[in-house]
Amino acid sequence: MKRSCPVRRNELYPLGFFGLLFVNTLFNQWVVYAHSSGGGTGALLLTGFVLQGVLNPFIGHGSDLVRRRFGARRVLFLATVPALLIVNASLWSPGAPLVRVPLYCVAFSTVMQPFLALLPALARDEKTRLRFTLVGAVGALGAAATALLVGPWMVECSGVAGLAGLGSAVLAVALGLPLLVVKEALDEAAPAVSPGLRRQLGELLRAPGVARFVGANLLLSATMMTLVVMSPFVADALLPGRASTQGLNAALVVGMLGSVALLGLVARRVEPTALFLLGGLVGATVLTVLGASTLLGGAPPAAWLVGFGLLGYLALSTMAMPSLIVAQLATRDGKSREGLFFSLNGGAVAFGNAIGAFLASSALALSASPRDPLGVQ
């Protein structure tokens, strides 16, 4: 028998995605740019993402065990949320030790993965779960859009140090409020979690469709990370003025908003996995065209704006579709291992981010200076 779940209190759950995606979008886009003069930031960012990928399954498995021991995953957040706030606030200080870059990656994972795993316990029926997922995706989209638009303005007005207070304040309010009020529903006789982490990972990867989805998410995450990290440098080198970074970000946001309308029309008739893979096809095509045109003499600014607008669909796909797909897969067999399942997907995203960070830092290493990322004008 299942205890009732107070859905009205849990309606605030999607708000947490706004805080998490806001602070992480600022981090992904600006951390390499902020510390480019010191060197080594790209390598440490790569290290952080690799650590995320390695530690995510352990974090998810641990959150499953905590939930069974204490009756709620929220116990974890008493330690992990303050740690993330402290690391983020100190990351942007002038002369901050760069070791805080991988520390941020690990701290973010200890919050994000257990928060994702809350979903099945907060929304038992499919209709409510789908609503929470879609509202959370819209919140994530709004957070990324806000960060993409506000970030360049904040850097222009107060330097990268201004990102510390902005990101931490938004995270504290948008994540803290739902964690204070949501209520997890528990099975009175929850199925036992098998003790072996390795065995559980093997079972998940052998389940139909899981390995293909995880692999596709890894590749799309690598593409988005490369795109986000490189955009300020590319804008400085190819387009006139700092406002060009904001222009590319604005085009990306417009593309994401248009994609929301598109998905609203077709999502009920097309499987989320197909929509997710379509994002990869769109992203690969656009990036190939822009890259080739740059090597052949340079694309006009309008082409970059149109390209980033089309990439808005890729951005939305990597935000919204994985939550829908993982929510379906995580509860398919009825076993109590949501934390491990969401963290397996999070590990794929982390390794994809590591690949993207490596590609971006490798490209920047070919340049004569941080202000000349392409090496030759």
Side-chain angles (χ1 to χ4, degrees):
M1 186 174 70
K2 297 178 180 179
R3 299 176 184 175
S4 61
C5 181
V7 174
R8 290 185 179 179
R9 291 177 59 179
N10 295 344
E11 295 287 346
L12 286 174
Y13 168 72
L15 179 62
F17 289 103
F18 186 95
L20 287 165
L21 268 294
F22 183 86
V23 71
N24 206 48
T25 300
L26 292 177
F27 173 82
N28 286 338
Q29 182 159 53
W30 292 104
V31 67
V32 174
Y33 192 86
H35 299 286
S36 58
S37 60
T41 310
L44 287 172
L45 185 62
L46 173 63
T47 301
F49 289 140
V50 170
L51 285 174
Q52 278 187 332
V54 171
L55 295 177
N56 265 342
F58 296 95
I59 294 170
H61 182 58
S63 74
D64 287 336
L65 297 178
V66 167
R67 178 172 179 255
R68 292 183 59 80
R69 174 65 178 85
F70 297 99
R73 293 183 205 274
R74 289 191 299 164
V75 176
L76 285 172
F77 299 116
L78 296 175
T80 58
V81 173
L84 176 58
L85 289 170
I86 292 171
V87 173
N88 179 70
S90 63
L91 178 66
W92 306 99
S93 303
L98 293 183
V99 70
R100 295 176 187 178
V101 173
L103 283 179
Y104 168 89
C105 295
V106 174
F108 182 80
S109 190
T110 61
V111 176
M112 185 66 175
Q113 299 310 317
F115 187 78
L116 288 169
L118 283 172
L119 178 62
L122 300 181
R124 288 300 197 181
D125 61 278
E126 290 295 329
K127 182 178 179 181
T128 304
R129 187 175 299 164
L130 178 61
R131 185 174 75 253
F132 281 11
T133 301
L134 290 176
V135 174
V138 172
L141 171 61
T146 304
L148 288 171
L149 295 176
V150 173
W153 173 82
M154 178 64 70
V155 171
E156 183 69 22
C157 292
S158 58
V160 292
L163 300 176
L166 177 65
S168 295
V170 172
L171 179 65
V173 174
L175 180 62
L177 183 59
L179 288 179
L180 287 173
V181 301
V182 297
K183 178 73 173 180
E184 298 175 61
L186 300 176
D187 293 337
E188 293 185 356
V193 178
S194 57
L197 175 59
R198 182 176 178 181
R199 177 182 174 185
Q200 290 186 69
L201 287 173
E203 291 176 355
L204 291 180
L205 290 173
R206 288 191 298 270
V210 173
R212 291 193 301 274
F213 165 70
V214 168
N217 205 8
L218 185 152
L219 293 176
L220 290 185
S221 298
T223 302
M224 281 304 303
M225 175 55 59
T226 305
L227 175 69
V228 168
V229 171
M230 288 294 294
S231 60
F233 297 94
V234 172
D236 274 356
L238 294 178
L239 303 177
R242 174 59 58 81
S244 58
T245 303
Q246 198 165 24
L248 292 179
N249 288 345
L252 192 67
V253 170
V254 171
M256 287 190 285
L257 292 176
S259 299
V260 170
L262 174 64
L263 292 178
L265 293 175
V266 303
R268 294 185 179 182
R269 299 189 295 272
V270 183
E271 283 293 321
T273 302
L275 296 171
F276 179 68
L277 294 177
L278 177 61
L281 179 61
V282 170
T285 302
V286 172
L287 291 176
T288 299
V289 171
L290 288 177
S293 64
T294 300
L295 293 175
L296 294 175
W304 282 92
L305 294 175
V306 172
F308 268 61
L310 293 174
L311 287 171
Y313 180 80
L314 170 62
L316 183 67
S317 297
T318 57
M319 287 181 195
M321 294 300 104
S323 295
L324 289 171
I325 296 169
V326 176
Q328 292 174 352
L329 296 176
T331 56
R332 184 168 55 188
D333 59 6
K335 294 183 179 180
S336 180
R337 55 187 184 191
E338 296 92 343
L340 182 60
F341 210 122
F342 277 87
S343 292
L344 176 63
N345 178 62
V349 173
F351 280 119
N353 288 340
I355 294 171
F358 173 77
L359 293 175
S361 59
S362 297
L364 294 172
L366 299 175
S367 66
S369 72
R371 295 294 181 182
D372 181 15
L374 300 183
V376 179
Q377 294 293 328

